[in-house]
Amino acid sequence: MSVLESLLSDRRRPATSDVDAASATESSVTNVLSFDLEHWYTATLLRDEVRAPTGRLEESVRLVCELLDARDVRATFFVVGQVAAEYPELVRALAEDGHEIATHGHTHTPLFELTPGEFEAELADSADAIGEATGTRPIGFRAPNFSITPKTRWAFDVLSESDLQYDSSVFPVRTPMYGVSSAPVRPYRVAVDDPFSVTATGTDLLEFPLATFHPTLRIPTAGGFYARLQPTWLLRRGIRNLNRRGIPATLYFHPWEFNPAVETIEPPGHKRLVSFHGIDTLAGKLDSLLALFEFDTLEQRLDDYDGRSTSRERRNRTSG
């Protein structure tokens, strides 16, 4: 059976068999659900296109939380430091509701535009803002625009010297904007001298790469635009492909992607497609995935690896 035939046969399965298959063969794997919490107009494709935008951040977060609460799911929110400083009550409420708060940098600046020293300052400033808002400093990082690539591999030197315990910035597929096509698809310890390979000399820093459709057929299916573009059955199949190999699927979204009221400006065609296509259907897609698969925070997944402090110890780390 060809790959295409296999995909189509999965699509034809009734919903009940999807539930049974997921329960029988993938129930031992808990996947990762994450959200990058930023203003929609700071997205890389839009930041030069928007004038006097309406933020809608709080209402977007509310829509996401309603969806998660209905399924009793907790997620990791990678929060921009400036957002934590601007909306401390919102970020604090997310933490108090059991969601993990990690850092997405302080100004949502891709690493391509930073020096190592500037990146170090971004991490410190964002950790301070998040610590001030929640009382707990972040232990995880995601680079804006997944901008840790071979050109910015120096970021791992900075991360390994920080207090952070994990990164989730490597997209193991090549796209026009980012990606490392040869990177591992499963979580691994980062070796600073060879950060995109599994080696025996890895540091304490864990990398959680974003989900692809298959370890060899590396179609990006992790979330965001890819989830808005693809049908739900294809997203299900991608998660299942990883789970059957014991690999957790790390998904990412942005709260504004669940809010059809987000201001839809008229940027050039491809920017409009990538930024806004499928916003009105994404909540239903994610809800379908939450019904079929197990999800949790990145912090909780760290306990699957030896040599780590416990979740309780990590949660007790305060900004002091």
Side-chain angles (χ1 to χ4, degrees), residues 16-319:
T16 53
S17 69
D18 280 330
V19 175
D20 293 342
S23 299
T25 62
E26 292 94 32
S27 59
S28 62
V29 177
T30 300
N31 301 290
V32 171
L33 180 62
S34 64
F35 295 87
D36 296 350
L37 183 52
E38 66 207 42
H39 286 295
W40 67 269
Y41 51 83
T42 62
T44 302
L45 289 179
L46 296 176
R47 59 182 180 172
D48 296 328
E49 304 287 343
V50 182
R51 301 292 182 270
T54 301
R56 303 191 184 280
L57 187 140
E58 291 174 300
E59 67 183 67
S60 299
V61 170
R62 176 179 55 79
L63 292 170
V64 166
C65 287
E66 289 173 353
L67 178 61
L68 300 184
D69 287 347
R71 295 291 183 183
D72 195 25
V73 173
R74 297 297 173 264
T76 296
F77 284 78
F78 289 94
V79 179
V80 171
Q82 289 180 338
V83 169
E86 186 179 0
Y87 298 91
E89 296 86 0
L90 176 65
V91 176
R92 185 180 307 116
L94 286 170
E96 291 175 348
D97 199 33
H99 301 292
E100 180 192 4
I101 307 300
T103 173
H104 198 34
H106 192 64
T107 62
H108 200 256
T109 303
L111 272 60
F112 304 123
E113 301 174 17
L114 297 174
T115 66
E118 290 169 338
F119 177 45
E120 186 175 2
E122 283 261 333
L123 291 179
D125 291 345
S126 66
D128 288 346
I130 290 170
E132 183 69 23
T134 67
T136 303
R137 298 178 73 82
I139 62 169
F141 170 73
R142 174 170 292 152
N145 207 39
F146 304 110
S147 52
I148 292 185
T149 71
K151 291 182 179 180
T152 55
R153 58 185 295 169
W154 50 261
F156 284 119
D157 292 281
V158 177
L159 290 170
S160 66
E161 294 296 324
S162 73
D163 292 331
L164 297 171
Q165 297 188 27
Y166 72 83
D167 175 69
S168 184
S169 304
V170 174
F171 216 135
V173 60
R174 185 60 182 163
T175 77
M177 297 177 64
Y178 49 74
V180 186
S181 59
S182 61
V185 298
R186 65 173 64 245
Y188 66 98
R189 295 194 182 279
V190 174
V192 173
D193 59 344
D194 191 10
F196 304 112
S197 300
V198 176
T199 70
T201 59
T203 65
D204 284 341
L205 184 73
L206 272 168
E207 176 63 41
F208 283 82
L210 282 298
T212 62
F213 177 76
H214 189 278
T216 55
L217 185 58
R218 296 198 176 190
I219 302 170
T221 56
F225 164 67
Y226 311 109
R228 288 186 276 115
L229 181 67
Q230 297 174 30
T232 306
W233 68 267
L234 191 60
L235 300 174
R236 290 199 305 261
R237 184 57 185 266
I239 296 173
R240 185 169 292 119
N241 284 338
L242 297 179
N243 287 178
R244 284 174 175 167
R245 293 161 177 81
I247 303 171
T250 297
L251 305 188
Y252 81 96
F253 300 94
H254 304 85
W256 59 263
E257 292 179 289
F258 296 83
N259 188 355
V262 163
E263 183 175 347
T264 52
I265 60 170
E266 296 292 338
H270 76 285
K271 292 185 178 182
R272 180 177 178 81
L273 173 69
V274 173
S275 300
F276 301 124
H277 175 79
I279 282 180
D280 56 337
T281 62
L282 187 57
K285 290 181 179 180
L286 178 56
D287 188 60
S288 175
L289 299 180
L290 296 182
L292 285 172
F293 301 98
E294 292 294 323
F295 289 93
D296 208 334
T297 67
L298 274 156
E299 180 186 30
Q300 291 301 318
R301 300 279 50 80
L302 293 183
D303 290 338
D304 295 338
Y305 297 86
D306 294 334
R308 287 283 166 184
S309 59
T310 66
S311 294
R312 182 182 300 275
E313 289 171 338
R314 285 192 295 273
R315 282 193 293 269
N316 285 340
R317 295 177 63 189
T318 66
S319 59

